[in-house]
Amino acid sequence: MYFRRKTSAGRAYLQIVASRRTGDQVRQQVIATLGRYEDLQASGQLERLLRSGARFAAKAMVLSAAANDAVLKIAVRRIGPAMVFERLWEESGSDRAADRWREDYAIAGVDGLDLHHLYRAMAWLGEELPAAEQDGRTPFAPRCLKDVVEERLFAHRRDLLTRLDLVFMDTTSLYFEGAGGQTLGQHGYSKDHRPDLRQMILAVVIDGDGRPVCSEMWPGNTADVTTLIPVIERLRRRFAIARVCVIADRGMISADTVAELQARQLLYILGVRERSDKLVRELVLADPEPLAPLIIAKRGKEIDYEAKAVTLAGRRYIVCRNLQEAAKDAADRAAIVAALERQLAKGDKALVGNTGYRRYLKTVGGDRFAIDPDKVAEEAKFDGVFVLRTNTDLNSLEAMLCYKQLWTVEQTFRTAKHLLVTRPIFHKLDETIRGHVFCSFLALVLKKELEDRIAALGRSSSWPEIIADLDSLTETELEHDGKVFLVRSTPRPAASLALRAAGVALPPTVREPTAD
């Protein structure tokens, strides 16, 4: 029921109205007409009526008082993230900062936890298993408790249709500040462009559906090409994989790696260094057969690709071209050549030190330079091109699509580094370091689960919007007329979508706190 101001013949009346459903129709029924609106206001009867009813509507009065800033505000806590991600976990940055962060969130079961409890929990996740349970460890890392969690998570969601045929793997480096990194922290090739700092190597393995399967951590001086085979063998043991196809980027492979994959009868789709591999550069790319077209929709945009298979010397290659990237490469090269021509007109002594220019130049007259049209034409062969090597029987377009899924791993690293603030790492002990990074891995698992559930509803939403809207969902603790109430804010659209996808019901708009 509700109050309604009804105007008739130029006069306003105050009515009490109820909505009633008859079949598919909702109709309003007037319960009572209280009188003319102006008379009720002037006589004070409306105020007396509302005050009388307020004895039986404390929650409504709390909302009214809160809107008018007429209450004592005790505390405000964010409830959105905890509601969604606690449910996802049930079903399926800096740690000091995290300890302060959780004070602003209503999370069940964390009362009484201090900072040292968080450290101990992380160290527990990263502890090495007993010697009797080290079967399947790699030369670079022991088996730890976090491995057991990964295996049980996989087993929990595994059913008769779950397979781990496609395995995507890539690596990144995470650097340490201060004296962090007991044995994991080593100097090596830094993908973060911080060679001055010690680092560790993080690998994430993702299945064909884009779900994080497991994480691996190695000392920072471990070369990528030495890790692929041990990790794949470990995957086969840990997750009972009978048949696996490895998809990895060009930085992960070497001739020895490919030979090992073939010797172990592992299927693979691997990126190739098309510029430095002479066979690919001179023969594979020169194959005269035309490429077949393909359009891929990615993030709301259509991308034009071409692909074809080339078999040479018993090896099967897939030549792929991104037409949008090809156009960009051609435009960039044309701009460089045009700038080079202008510089040559002024004098060419300074050109040798510019690598962007030098690759298009040839020497003339002993110490003079000119644009080499053959080098320009040679460079055009690589416009938008990437080459794969595979021993699968997938057609060229299928193989290319599988390889393009590797971007999900790259996206995972971007999320871990930027949204989840995995780096830099300040811990000193290996077990705490492993636990710290593994917590980010678990967050990625929950992120993927929520995205899948939203997609199952036929909806989509950006991750920053989801986080921002969930973070805006709060419960404010108020004191009114000697009583304490919790008043919930109205959820924003992305938060409502996330709550629906997770199957979580919102608490009432106003409620009295329950006794612990």
Side-chain angles (χ1 to χ4, degrees):
M1 291 188 294
Y2 57 94
F3 287 106
R4 181 177 72 179
R5 180 176 173 175
K6 176 72 172 179
T7 301
S8 176
R11 296 180 177 180
Y13 297 89
L14 190 66
Q15 298 176 332
I16 298 177
V17 180
S19 294
R20 302 186 186 280
R21 178 175 291 277
T22 304
D24 295 332
Q25 301 293 321
V26 177
R27 302 184 182 279
Q28 283 73 43
Q29 178 182 354
V30 177
I31 304 299
T33 299
L34 302 178
R36 290 181 59 182
Y37 178 74
E38 293 83 356
D39 294 343
L40 291 171
Q41 272 196 319
S43 66
Q45 293 183 62
L46 182 58
E47 296 292 336
R48 289 194 295 272
L49 174 64
L50 294 178
R51 282 199 300 271
S52 175
R55 293 177 298 167
F56 308 102
K59 293 180 180 180
M61 297 306 295
V62 170
L63 286 175
S64 178
N68 296 321
D69 292 326
V71 293
L72 176 62
K73 185 179 293 185
I74 300 172
V76 179
R77 290 187 174 86
R78 298 176 174 89
I79 61 173
M83 291 177 65
V84 169
F85 294 112
E86 280 179 18
R87 173 62 59 86
L88 293 176
W89 180 250
E90 288 171 1
E91 296 182 4
S92 28
S94 163
D95 309 303
R96 290 185 181 274
D99 186 46
R100 293 191 298 271
W101 167 87
R102 68 185 176 90
E103 294 176 359
D104 294 329
Y105 288 78
I107 305 174
V110 301
D111 293 339
L113 292 182
D114 295 322
L115 178 60
H116 72 93
H117 293 115
L118 302 182
Y119 281 128
R120 286 169 60 186
M122 283 195 308
W124 176 78
L125 287 169
E127 283 181 4
E128 295 186 23
L129 293 171
E133 300 176 42
Q134 286 296 323
D135 183 40
R137 63 170 291 163
T138 69
F140 321 106
R143 274 183 57 77
C144 304
L145 278 163
K146 68 101 181 166
D147 298 322
V148 177
V149 177
E150 290 170 344
E151 290 154 12
R152 291 184 180 177
L153 279 174
F154 182 78
H156 176 73
R157 66 172 184 260
R158 189 170 201 164
D159 55 32
L160 293 176
L161 300 178
T162 302
R163 300 184 305 171
L164 201 58
D165 286 349
L166 291 180
V167 175
F168 300 86
M169 176 179 162
D170 203 355
T171 64
T172 191
S173 56
L174 301 174
Y175 58 82
F176 295 91
E177 294 284 3
Q182 183 181 11
T183 64
L184 283 170
Q186 301 290 335
H187 288 284
Y189 173 72
S190 175
K191 298 180 182 181
D192 293 312
H193 309 292
R194 292 300 306 268
D196 56 312
L197 299 176
R198 291 193 291 173
Q199 65 176 18
M200 61 177 284
I201 304 298
L202 168 65
V204 172
V205 176
I206 292 180
D207 67 16
D209 295 320
R211 289 177 175 272
V213 176
C214 65
S215 59
E216 300 283 350
M217 291 163 244
W218 311 305
N221 56 358
T222 308
D224 282 353
V225 295
T226 65
T227 59
L228 185 57
I229 298 299
V231 169
I232 295 304
E233 285 300 317
R234 189 180 186 204
L235 283 173
R236 297 176 78 172
R237 291 190 183 190
R238 293 178 65 190
F239 303 106
I241 309 170
R243 179 177 178 271
V244 60
C245 180
V246 181
I247 295 93
D249 209 348
R250 61 198 71 188
M252 297 291 299
I253 64 170
S254 65
D256 291 340
T257 302
V258 175
E260 282 286 338
L261 288 171
Q262 291 175 332
R264 297 167 187 263
Q265 297 183 327
L266 291 169
L267 299 175
Y268 59 80
I269 303 172
L270 304 173
V272 174
R273 299 183 185 276
E274 59 272 355
R275 292 176 183 269
S276 58
D277 188 317
K278 186 176 180 180
L279 182 68
V280 173
R281 185 178 68 248
E282 296 183 358
L283 298 178
V284 174
L285 293 182
D287 181 82
E289 290 297 317
L291 286 80
L294 175 69
I295 298 176
I296 298 177
K298 180 179 176 182
R299 299 178 186 175
K301 297 180 180 180
E302 289 189 346
I303 304 175
D304 296 305
Y305 286 96
E306 297 177 331
K308 68 176 178 180
V310 178
T311 301
L312 196 64
R315 301 175 182 177
R316 186 165 184 254
Y317 295 94
I318 309 295
V319 179
C320 312
R321 177 181 285 115
N322 179 323
L323 297 186
Q324 279 87 347
E325 284 294 321
K328 180 180 180 299
D329 292 343
D332 290 345
R333 184 175 56 259
I336 292 175
V337 172
L340 183 53
E341 289 173 340
R342 292 193 296 269
Q343 286 293 94
L344 284 171
K346 297 177 183 178
D348 56 8
K349 288 185 178 181
L351 298 178
V352 182
N354 188 317
T355 56
Y357 288 158
R358 193 168 60 231
R359 58 181 168 169
Y360 299 120
L361 293 174
K362 63 180 178 180
T363 305
V364 294
D367 60 351
R368 302 292 296 174
F369 299 99
I371 296 174
D372 187 339
D374 292 336
K375 289 184 177 180
V376 175
E378 176 70 16
E379 193 68 20
K381 293 195 311 185
F382 301 102
D383 288 353
V385 168
F386 58 97
V387 180
L388 312 175
R389 182 175 171 187
T390 182
N391 61 351
T392 69
D393 57 4
L394 296 174
N395 66 46
S396 57
L397 297 178
E398 289 173 333
M400 187 190 74
L401 285 174
C402 286
Y403 182 76
K404 292 304 293 181
Q405 283 184 263
L406 193 60
W407 74 270
T408 59
V409 183
E410 298 167 358
Q411 186 184 50
T412 295
F413 285 134
R414 286 194 294 271
T415 302
K417 288 184 175 182
H418 300 295
L419 292 183
L420 303 178
V421 199
T422 303
R423 66 176 183 187
I425 301 174
F426 296 89
H427 301 296
K428 295 181 180 179
L429 301 179
D430 285 348
E431 56 266 30
T432 313
I433 294 165
R434 287 191 288 258
H436 169 93
V437 175
F438 182 63
C439 287
S440 291
F441 174 84
L442 293 179
L444 293 172
V445 172
L446 295 179
K447 175 179 180 288
K448 174 61 177 173
E449 179 67 22
L450 180 58
E451 289 172 338
D452 285 350
R453 293 192 183 196
I454 290 175
L457 296 175
R459 303 285 298 278
S460 64
S461 183
S462 75
W463 186 247
E465 285 180 350
I466 292 172
I467 293 300
D469 284 12
L470 284 175
D471 214 38
S472 72
L473 186 59
T474 62
E475 248 186 359
T476 303
E477 188 175 348
L478 304 175
E479 183 178 330
H480 180 67
D481 286 344
K483 292 184 178 181
V484 175
F485 297 89
L486 295 175
V487 178
R488 172 183 56 77
S489 65
T490 302
R492 295 177 183 171
S496 296
L497 178 60
L499 291 162
R500 178 186 169 197
V504 179
L506 280 168
T509 305
V510 181
R511 65 186 178 93
E512 296 185 46
T514 57
D516 293 334

